[in-house]
Amino acid sequence: MSYTPKDVLEMVKKENVVSVDLKFMDFPGLWQHFSVPVKQLDMDSFEDGFGFDGSSIRGWRTINESDMLVIPDPTTAFVDPFMKYKTLSMICDIVDPITRERYTRCPRNVAKKAELYLQSTGIADTAYVGPEMEFFIFDDVRFDQNEHEGYFHIDSIEGRWNTGREESPNLGYKPRYKEGYFPVSPTDSQQDIREEMVQVLSACGLEIEAQHHEVATGGQGEIDLRFDTLVKMGDSANLYKYILKNVAHRNGKTLTFMPKPLAGDNGTGMHTHISLWKGATPLFAGSGYAGMSEMAMYFVGGILRHSRALAAFTNPTTNSYRRLVPGFEAPVNLAYSQRNRSAAIRFPMYSMSPKAKRVEVRYPDCSGNPYLSFSALLMAGLDGIQNRIDPGDPLDKDIYDLSPEELVGVPVMPGSLEEAIRELESDYEFLMKGDVFTEDVIKTWMHYKMENEVNALRLRPHPWEFAMYYDL
């Protein structure tokens, strides 16, 4: 339901709300919030907003220009299912209090500009996005890194590594490595908690298509959101993360969207489905390869052309590249296919209906900012359409079975976050069309990632280095 300010004020009264929680996305990709007493919310609040200190938000204002406003979006209102006291939550946009302009580093603003730019091109009216978001549910996590030690320890009751643990009794139903997709219970021990997540997601207005255990042992799962428009899906992805983490927490468990928390088993990705529509007409259906249109193929050409730069947004953590390793499960080879899951892009063939025709980009993960990831993918695809970029021939063979000679002409994704940032440095003009990504946003993103993540990691020894090198 799309609420108006009047609807929200009526909801507040009907639900006996006592607090209003204002949620917004920081630059790297975590939801932030603060709350105000319900009496502070009135019709003017949806124009005037609420003030806060923007200098304390990662990647945003400096201390000498810190005052900012959050403007609540009434269409996003929901009663928060996790607060002790009845709380109404809304997602907010960020505005400069003096100029009243939308803040360029607000990720939701970037996504809104991407939608407006799409419409301005005349190519399409709407971009639909459907991410397959994967995660791990663990029972315990401990980690630390300081001057003299560094470690992490994670545990799961269904982890295969626990088949020999004394559990009084150990009942033995633990998914084998890479065989979690998808046996029934009791091997799948997390059906009920995933279903609880689905029920809360649905109660908060999100439409769910399926839920299941994923490939890895130790609690890997997936709950699929039904596709939606770009900004709405950015909102939904953030609400999805919030709900899943909190349902896990109230069940005494912990949930992570880290791409590669386990060594020796599958990582978690975010296969992202995209389609363009004009009115009620799907634009990716046609008579070409896999039933796709010429426009769809150019869209793919743009994504393949810019994928190495896109990685800085779609795979924006150092941990992302523990998953994107050639020869393993992640699709690092920049090719496309109609059914081949080892290609970076594929065309799902579950249905031949024109409405189901879409492009599935398989390399993204959930570690980034969904507004920026989805917007960047759209901008790359539009660049492909505008410049008629040929994606080349499909690669319908199993890429992992190809010889080195056969792979010579197939480009691959970057091997590290630093490499991805270097690619973005030399390839970002396509993102700046329509002022969607400003140069300030792109350069701030690169600087933040280098200083706070790439350099922070390279300055610290890795535990496995001791196993390899201590006896030198």
Side-chain angles (χ1 to χ4, degrees), residues 21 28 57 66-67 83 85 103-104 125 163-164 184 213 228 269 287 305 328 345 366 434 452 472:
D21 199 54
I57 305 301
S66 59
D67 292 345
M83 301 296 106
Y85 300 100
Y103 185 41
T104 56
D125 301 326
T163 55
V184 299
H213 203 287
D228 210 332
S287 57
R305 168 78 60 84
F328 292 88
I345 295 177
C366 298
N452 296 280
L472 292 179

Side-chain angles (χ1 to χ4, degrees), residues 8-9 12 17-23 33-42 45-46 50 72 77-78 80 83 85-92:
V8 171
L9 295 177
V12 162
V17 167
V18 299
S19 180
V20 176
D21 199 54
L22 304 166
K23 294 178 167 63
H33 80 125
F34 64 93
S35 299
V36 298
V38 70
K39 66 182 180 181
Q40 299 291 330
L41 184 72
D42 56 28
S45 302
F46 297 94
F50 299 88
F78 65 97
D80 198 303
M83 301 296 106
Y85 300 100
K86 187 62 73 77
T87 299
L88 182 87
S89 284
M90 286 182 284
I91 301 173
C92 301

Side-chain angles (χ1 to χ4, degrees), residues 6 20 42 65 123 140 151 208 217 225 251 269 356 362 472:
K6 182 180 177 182
V20 176
D42 56 28
E65 52 177 9
I123 292 171
D140 185 64
Y151 66 89
I208 305 304
T217 189
L225 293 168
N251 281 273
R362 294 180 59 79
L472 292 179

Side-chain angles (χ1 to χ4, degrees), residues 123-372:
I123 292 171
D125 301 326
T126 307
Y128 285 110
V129 180
E132 300 177 30
M133 300 174 72
E134 299 173 342
F135 50 86
F136 275 92
I137 302 171
F138 294 129
D139 292 291
D140 185 64
V141 58
R142 292 179 285 117
F143 51 88
D144 197 11
Q145 180 94 40
N146 53 50
E147 292 78 9
H148 71 99
E149 63 181 355
Y151 66 89
F152 67 90
H153 176 87
I154 53 181
D155 206 2
S156 167
I157 191 68
E158 70 163 42
R160 189 66 177 179
W161 58 86
N162 280 326
T163 55
R165 185 172 69 174
E166 179 58 57
E167 294 178 352
S168 302
N170 187 325
L171 300 179
Y173 292 104
K174 304 179 191 299
R176 284 180 283 271
Y177 296 105
K178 300 182 182 293
E179 293 188 25
Y181 190 91
F182 21 56
V184 299
S185 59
T187 302
D188 177 3
S189 68
Q190 297 182 342
Q191 169 71 13
D192 288 343
I193 191 172
R194 291 196 308 271
E195 189 57 39
E196 182 181 343
M197 292 168 179
V198 168
Q199 295 305 311
V200 178
L201 289 165
S202 299
C204 289
L206 301 187
E207 190 170 352
I208 305 304
E209 291 193 329
Q211 64 95 342
H212 56 82
H213 203 287
E214 257 297 339
V215 173
T217 189
Q220 190 180 37
E222 179 179 321
I223 300 174
D224 293 332
L225 293 168
R226 182 170 175 78
F227 65 87
D228 210 332
T229 56
L230 192 150
V231 173
K232 288 183 179 178
M233 185 50 70
D235 293 342
S236 296
N238 292 321
L239 180 54
Y240 174 104
K241 285 187 170 185
Y242 176 73
I243 288 173
L244 265 61
K245 289 177 182 177
N246 278 282
V247 169
H249 188 266
R250 76 184 184 189
N251 281 273
K253 295 182 183 291
T254 178
L255 185 146
T256 183
F257 291 94
M258 273 183 69
K260 191 71 172 180
L262 295 182
D265 212 334
N266 280 41
T268 53
M270 186 179 70
H271 305 156
T272 302
H273 300 249
I274 308 174
S275 62
L276 298 183
W277 291 59
K278 201 160 198 175
T281 303
L283 301 179
F284 281 0
S287 57
Y289 174 80
M292 304 298 284
S293 67
E294 183 180 57
M295 179 186 291
M297 301 311 294
Y298 290 144
F299 191 89
V300 169
I303 292 179
L304 290 176
R305 168 78 60 84
H306 298 296
S307 283
R308 289 177 59 81
L310 287 172
F313 290 108
T314 61
N315 305 85
T317 64
T318 59
N319 187 251
S320 298
Y321 299 88
R322 311 296 188 198
R323 168 180 171 260
L324 291 182
V325 178
F328 292 88
E329 81 277 4
V332 298
N333 296 284
L334 295 174
Y336 72 94
S337 174
Q338 62 178 343
R339 301 181 73 179
N340 187 354
R341 291 173 183 264
S342 61
I345 295 177
R346 77 179 190 106
F347 306 128
M349 302 299 290
Y350 300 122
S351 171
M352 297 305 293
S353 167
K355 294 182 179 181
K357 290 302 179 183
R358 59 198 189 272
V359 170
E360 179 189 353
V361 188
R362 294 180 59 79
Y363 52 74
D365 63 53
C366 298
S367 66
N369 191 316
Y371 297 118
L372 301 183

